[in-house]
Amino acid sequence: MINQNLYQQLILDHNRSPRNYGKLDNPTHFSEGYNALCGDHFLIYLNLDSSGRIVEEIKFSGEGCAISKASASMMSEIFTKKSIDEVRELFDLFKRLVKGQPISQAEEKKISKLIIFANIHKYPSRIKCAILAWHAVAAALDNKKQTSSENVEI
C-alpha cells in the first residue's frame, strides 16, 4: 500500500525542486511532449554515450502540473546512466504501474520510489500527466521530435 503522505511529499518536493531541470546544449537526442488536455509541455534533452547505447545525461524543461513535473524529475534520475534497453524496460514497467496492472516485487525494486505513482490509475485523467515525459523520451530515442497526448497510448 502506498503511503499517501509520502506520495504528497515526493510529488511536492520534485515539483518545487525538479532534478535535471534545464536545457542541454547540443543534445544527441531531443523531443517535445505536449498534453493538449491540460497544457503540460516538456522538452526532453538526452546525451547518449559514444556507443549510442547509454544515457549519459538527461534534462527536461517546460511547465506542467505537479504530477507531470515530478514524474519527469524522477524519471530523469532513474534513466541517467541506464542503457537504452533498460530505459525501454523501465518505461514499459512504468506504463503498467500507472495503468494499475500488477507488478512483481522485483519490478518494484527496479522502479524504486516511482512506486508512489501506483494509485494514479484511480484518476484516469492524471495518467497522461504522469506519463507524458516518458513518452517524450521514447520519441527522442526513436528520433521523433514531438509527441502529444492525443497520440499517447495509455
Side-chain angles (χ1 to χ4, degrees), residues 52-69:
R53 301 184 47 76
I54 305 291
V55 176
E56 285 292 320
E57 193 172 13
I58 180 173
K59 289 198 176 251
F60 72 98
S61 64
E63 292 300 322
C65 67
I67 289 172
S68 64
K69 189 179 276 186

Side-chain angles (χ1 to χ4, degrees), residues 32-113:
E32 179 178 13
Y34 179 63
N35 184 341
L37 298 174
C38 66
D40 294 346
H41 184 223
F42 291 107
L43 305 173
I44 301 292
Y45 309 90
L46 299 171
N47 275 333
L48 302 185
D49 71 350
S50 60
S51 73
R53 301 184 47 76
I54 305 291
V55 176
E56 285 292 320
E57 193 172 13
I58 180 173
K59 289 198 176 251
F60 72 98
S61 64
E63 292 300 322
C65 67
I67 289 172
S68 64
K69 189 179 276 186
S71 179
S73 175
M74 288 188 236
M75 174 202 68
S76 72
E77 288 184 314
I78 202 169
F79 282 176
T80 301
K81 306 298 182 194
K82 295 284 193 278
S83 72
I84 300 303
D85 291 339
E86 289 173 303
V87 166
R88 293 189 191 281
E89 178 187 1
L90 289 165
F91 179 40
D92 288 340
L93 182 55
F94 189 69
K95 280 194 292 189
R96 287 182 26 226
L97 177 77
V98 299
K99 288 182 189 179
Q101 297 171 351
I103 62 171
S104 71
Q105 285 184 329
E107 291 171 325
E108 279 187 31
K109 287 181 183 179
K110 286 183 181 183
I111 59 171
S112 180
K113 63 185 172 188

Side-chain angles (χ1 to χ4, degrees), residues 1-7 108 115-119 122:
M1 179 183 266
I2 305 304
N3 179 317
Q4 195 63 24
N5 190 37
L6 176 62
Y7 169 82
E108 279 187 31
I115 196 69
I116 66 162
F117 289 98
N119 288 328
K122 295 177 181 177

